[in-house]
Amino acid sequence: MIAILVSGALALTVSLLGTPLFIRFLVRRNYGQFIRQDGPTAHFTKRGTPTMGGVVIIVATLVGYVFANMVTGNMPSASGLLLLFLMVGLGVVGFLDDFIKISRQRSLGLSPAWKIVGQGVIGVAFSVLVLQFPNARFRTPASMEISFTRDVGLDLAFAGATVGLILFVIWANFLITAWSNAVNLTDGLDGLATGASMFVFGAYTLVTFWQVNQSCQLLASAGPSCYEVRDPRDLSIVAAAIVGACFGFLWWNASPAKIFMGDTGALALGGALAGMTILTRTEILGAIIGGLFVLIILSDVIQIGFFKATGRRVFKMAPLHHHFELMGWGEVTIVIRFWIIAALCACLGLGVFYAEWFTG
């Protein structure tokens, strides 16, 4: 518990105090955001706002995680390090995207193909590595089973180890791509993705803390509904650090934003969420906890699919928050109401998680 509190508090402090320093650094170099021309016209006033703020979120998370383990005298686990590898790796892809936008003074960064390649390289490496590093009880950070609140018995290795590995890599990369793009799409209004991420990772802090106390590795006290997660304690430290980092960043990212997280932060947070669902064996439950992100990416998919099929649009503009902007809703109103949805989804996910344990 102490490590979780230290991790969150230190990440919050680093993010809260470090963000204005990073803003001044970016302003001196004219590293400002470029706005898409086909977006809501109200966003044109945001042109030039410093971006790449995700760098602060990533650094604050790393500092919180490392010092929390140092304070408690624990060694970092394979699960924690691999989750941070995924977060930092996708953050680097996002950073390159942001930097190209700034250096070439346009609203488009990496081409879609190169962004997919970057996400794929990091995703494949993560997918393979999480099936390695068994601990003393032969548990690896992830398993080749599909999971809801725990592994559900649908083993991807049903046709052999090699086929199972290929299927798992495809499944894991689908999750990584989906979650990173979902958070990226959500990052369209001041504070929206940051606040929603706080609720989601706050929920995962509770999920992993519960898994620590109900771990099957505590053989003396493990009950019939124990969890096979390899390193829940370390995952809870990472989750708490992300919550703290987002909390501190939100102080400067709230409307009117002094800085944007950019693709650097959006891809990093999305990757961290995907990795968290895989490593906690809650891949499907994650779609409930992160329901707001799912809703927003679905609005984009529906808009594109319906337009290609009929030539007409379902929404005034996708993603969903822009639809409400064009309906005349104020930006702050949309953000607060979407935060409420994010909080309700996180609470619903926690309720489902606890109910499964209680009835199991």
Side-chain angles (χ1 to χ4, degrees):
M1 186 66 179
I2 293 177
I4 295 173
L5 295 175
V6 169
S7 177
L10 188 55
L12 186 154
T13 302
V14 171
S15 182
L16 184 63
L17 300 181
T19 300
L21 299 177
F22 194 56
I23 291 172
R24 286 196 282 272
F25 169 81
L26 295 173
V27 168
R28 283 199 300 269
R29 286 160 177 77
N30 294 317
Y31 286 175
Q33 177 72 41
F34 286 83
I35 305 300
R36 52 185 280 199
Q37 295 301 310
D38 60 341
T41 56
H43 288 203
F44 292 157
T45 59
K46 300 181 181 183
R47 181 183 176 92
T49 302
T51 187
M52 295 192 295
V55 170
V56 179
I57 295 175
I58 294 172
V59 171
T61 299
L62 293 174
V63 171
Y65 173 79
V66 170
F67 276 87
N69 277 302
M70 289 177 60
V71 168
T72 55
N74 292 296
M75 292 294 294
S77 70
S79 298
L81 293 175
L82 287 170
L83 180 57
L84 291 173
F85 162 76
L86 181 60
M87 182 181 185
V88 174
L90 290 186
V92 170
V93 175
F95 178 85
L96 293 174
D97 188 55
D98 288 332
F99 187 76
I100 290 173
K101 293 175 186 176
I102 294 168
S103 61
R104 297 184 180 178
Q105 298 190 1
R106 65 185 193 186
S107 61
L108 298 176
L110 283 173
S111 68
W114 279 112
K115 187 177 289 188
I116 291 173
V117 169
Q119 290 175 314
V121 170
I122 301 299
V124 169
F126 172 82
S127 305
V128 173
L129 290 172
V130 292
L131 296 176
Q132 315 304 318
F133 310 107
N135 63 7
R137 294 191 172 90
F138 308 104
R139 290 176 176 84
T140 54
S143 74
M144 284 194 286
E145 291 191 30
I146 303 296
S147 61
F148 180 40
T149 57
R150 63 182 78 238
D151 291 341
V152 297
L154 179 57
D155 195 343
L156 296 175
F158 62 91
T162 302
V163 174
L165 176 61
I166 294 172
L167 291 175
F168 175 77
V169 169
I170 294 172
W171 169 240
N173 275 268
F174 165 75
L175 293 174
I176 292 167
T177 302
W179 281 118
S180 57
N181 288 332
V183 177
N184 199 14
L185 286 172
T186 306
D187 185 34
L189 299 179
D190 295 353
L192 178 55
T194 309
S197 296
M198 285 169 49
F199 289 116
V200 171
F201 285 100
Y204 266 107
T205 302
L206 296 176
V207 166
T208 49
F209 183 72
W210 186 259
Q211 288 176 335
V212 171
N213 295 318
Q214 303 295 328
S215 174
C216 294
Q217 298 178 79
L218 302 174
L219 298 180
S221 58
S225 297
C226 64
Y227 298 96
E228 293 288 354
V229 178
R230 185 189 190 276
D231 306 298
R233 175 191 170 279
D234 228 32
L235 295 176
S236 67
I237 294 174
V238 176
I242 294 175
V243 172
C246 288
F247 210 115
F249 184 75
L250 184 60
W251 182 270
W252 306 99
N253 184 229
S255 183
K258 300 295 187 295
I259 186 172
F260 300 138
M261 69 167 67
D263 282 14
T264 307
L267 294 187
L269 290 173
L273 178 52
M276 189 68 73
T277 67
I278 293 169
L279 296 173
T280 58
R281 317 286 177 89
T282 58
E283 295 156 353
I284 298 174
L285 180 68
I288 301 176
I289 293 177
L292 176 66
F293 296 133
V294 175
L295 181 65
I296 287 177
I297 196 171
L298 282 178
S299 72
D300 208 52
V301 172
I302 291 170
Q303 182 85 324
I304 294 171
F306 194 79
F307 182 78
K308 288 185 176 180
T310 67
R312 292 179 295 172
R313 292 178 171 83
V314 177
F315 308 105
K316 292 179 180 294
M317 181 178 288
L320 190 58
H321 41 277
H322 294 324
H323 169 78
F324 290 107
E325 274 192 290
L326 295 183
M327 286 182 62
W329 290 23
E331 180 173 359
V332 174
T333 300
I334 297 170
V335 170
I336 292 175
R337 288 177 178 174
F338 275 43
W339 281 353
I340 293 171
I341 295 172
L344 290 173
C345 290
C347 291
L348 176 61
L350 287 173
V352 171
F353 177 78
Y354 179 74
E356 188 279 337
W357 175 85
F358 185 77
T359 58

